[in-house]
Amino acid sequence: MSRIVYVNGEYLPEESAKVSVFDRGFLFADGVYEVTSVVGGKLVDFDGHAARLERSLGELGMTAPLARAELLDIHRELIARNDLDEGMIYLQITRGAADRDFAYPESATPTVVLFTQTAALIDRPAAQTGIRVISIPDLRWGRRDIKTVQLLYPSMGKMAAKQAGADDAWMIEDGFVTEGTSNNAWIVAGGRIITRHLGTEILHGITRAAVKRLAEEAQMQIEERAFTLAEAKAAEEAFVTSASTFVTPVVEIDGTRVGNGAPGPITRRLREIYIADTVATAI
Ligand code: PDD
């Protein structure tokens, strides 16, 4: 079935949606994106994603081509036109089309693309079984706090994981875990919930922020600091967070079982609390 997608002000069947071969997103990965989850036809943490988008654009010297309210309208229109109940909305904004030149063009009209993806987010088998990860060196650029579309290394990491019979990869820098290929990494050690502090080394996950807030509200102990791969392997529990996985248990790292090899109680509780909050606050 063909989706209706949004391209530069138009709602089109996906087959008719086109962008220029000169688009700097295509030539230079000169663009940013967001993935917002949809539950019960409503958007999860729209404002958080919109704020991060504005920040990403600002870091690349681009101004937001659409106001937040207009973006919200487009998201909602796509949900309606595609009858989306559960899944994601992908949004990408590039600097636009210009003759190939490393320097930013003086004037280019940003390209804005949004499309829907149907997916079961709440009832996912991985939430019950947990996922297995391998570790790989983090060879990405240094501004991982900007959500750019240059995703080749994470893509390679995911393929390395698949080839190793695992589900995903955690990236390691100077012995410390930075994050997963497309999610933030967490462990539970000594009963404390640990996730890496914010900085330029990781993406500032919107789900991470919500889970942190909800854990604090539930009086759980949170520590924001870097943790090593060895700590993760010896942890009681491990999990990842993202808009598309919510809170998903990690049960194996490089072939070593985490805890008893089954999703742990703190992870399961956080997933439950997160989903309850998500359903209650989606707009
Ligand atoms: N990825 N870290 C990285 C490198 C990511 O790509 C993502 C999200 C996250 C989690 O951020 P959030 O909680 O805001 O989704 C962390 C999205 C889902 C993707 O690329 O599909």
Side-chain angles (χ1 to χ4, degrees):
M1 203 184 75
S2 165
R3 279 171 290 194
I4 299 296
V5 306
Y6 175 94
V7 186
N8 298 325
E10 290 187 284
Y11 292 92
L12 300 167
E14 61 182 72
E15 304 77 17
S16 323
K18 301 275 189 296
V19 296
S20 166
V21 295
F22 294 106
D23 194 279
R24 288 182 59 92
F26 179 58
L27 297 177
F28 292 99
D30 186 359
V32 299
Y33 77 108
E34 282 297 330
V35 176
T36 305
S37 46
V38 173
V39 171
K42 292 181 177 177
L43 295 154
V44 177
D45 225 330
F46 175 80
D47 274 321
H49 288 282
R52 185 173 63 192
L53 174 69
E54 287 156 16
R55 179 178 180 276
S56 292
L57 288 167
E59 291 298 306
L60 297 184
M62 285 192 243
T63 41
L66 294 163
R68 207 182 276 198
E70 291 173 299
L71 274 185
L72 177 58
D73 286 346
I74 298 168
H75 278 74
R76 286 181 163 157
E77 187 65 29
L78 280 180
I79 291 172
R81 289 194 188 222
N82 293 287
D83 203 13
L84 181 65
D85 178 55
E86 199 167 310
M88 287 90 68
I89 298 206
Y90 175 88
L91 165 153
Q92 178 169 334
I93 299 178
T94 75
R95 202 179 300 276
D99 197 10
R100 187 174 184 275
D101 185 354
F102 282 79
Y104 298 164
E106 290 197 351
S107 68
T109 307
T111 301
V112 182
V113 168
L114 287 91
F115 56 78
T116 54
Q117 287 186 295
T118 301
L121 302 180
I122 294 176
D123 280 326
R124 289 176 72 232
Q128 304 304 323
T129 59
I131 61 166
R132 290 176 298 164
V133 303
I134 60 164
S135 62
I136 58 171
D138 195 338
L139 301 181
R140 297 173 300 164
W141 79 325
R143 290 302 308 277
R144 303 160 195 156
D145 55 314
I146 311 174
K147 198 163 170 60
T148 72
V149 296
Q150 40 166 331
L151 296 176
L152 185 55
Y153 189 69
S155 204
M156 289 168 73
K158 193 89 171 177
M159 289 313 294
K162 277 187 142 188
Q163 277 152 16
D167 304 293
D168 205 353
W170 277 13
M171 295 178 280
I172 313 295
E173 191 166 60
D174 302 327
F176 293 96
V177 176
T178 52
E179 57 188 332
T181 58
S182 61
N183 43 57
N184 288 115
W186 305 64
I187 58 170
V188 179
R192 296 171 76 81
I193 302 168
I194 304 165
T195 195
R196 195 183 174 101
H197 54 283
L198 297 179
T200 51
E201 308 85 13
I202 62 166
L203 184 74
H204 303 187
I206 302 305
T207 320
R208 175 192 179 282
V211 168
K212 175 175 175 272
R213 174 179 54 78
L214 293 166
E216 282 165 351
E217 283 171 15
Q219 317 291 325
M220 295 166 141
Q221 300 293 312
I222 290 251
E223 244 177 80
E224 285 182 273
R225 63 163 175 86
F227 57 87
T228 63
L229 181 60
E231 268 184 285
K233 288 181 183 171
E236 290 125 47
E237 300 182 31
F239 59 97
V240 292
T241 58
S242 77
S244 49
T245 59
F246 293 171
V247 175
T248 295
V250 170
V251 294
E252 204 179 287
I253 304 172
D254 288 337
T256 302
R257 280 171 157 208
V258 178
N260 65 3
I266 293 178
T267 305
R268 281 191 273 119
R269 171 125 189 266
L270 284 174
R271 182 172 174 89
E272 252 171 53
I273 301 175
Y274 178 76
I275 290 175
D277 179 76
T278 283
V279 170
T281 59
I283 58 165

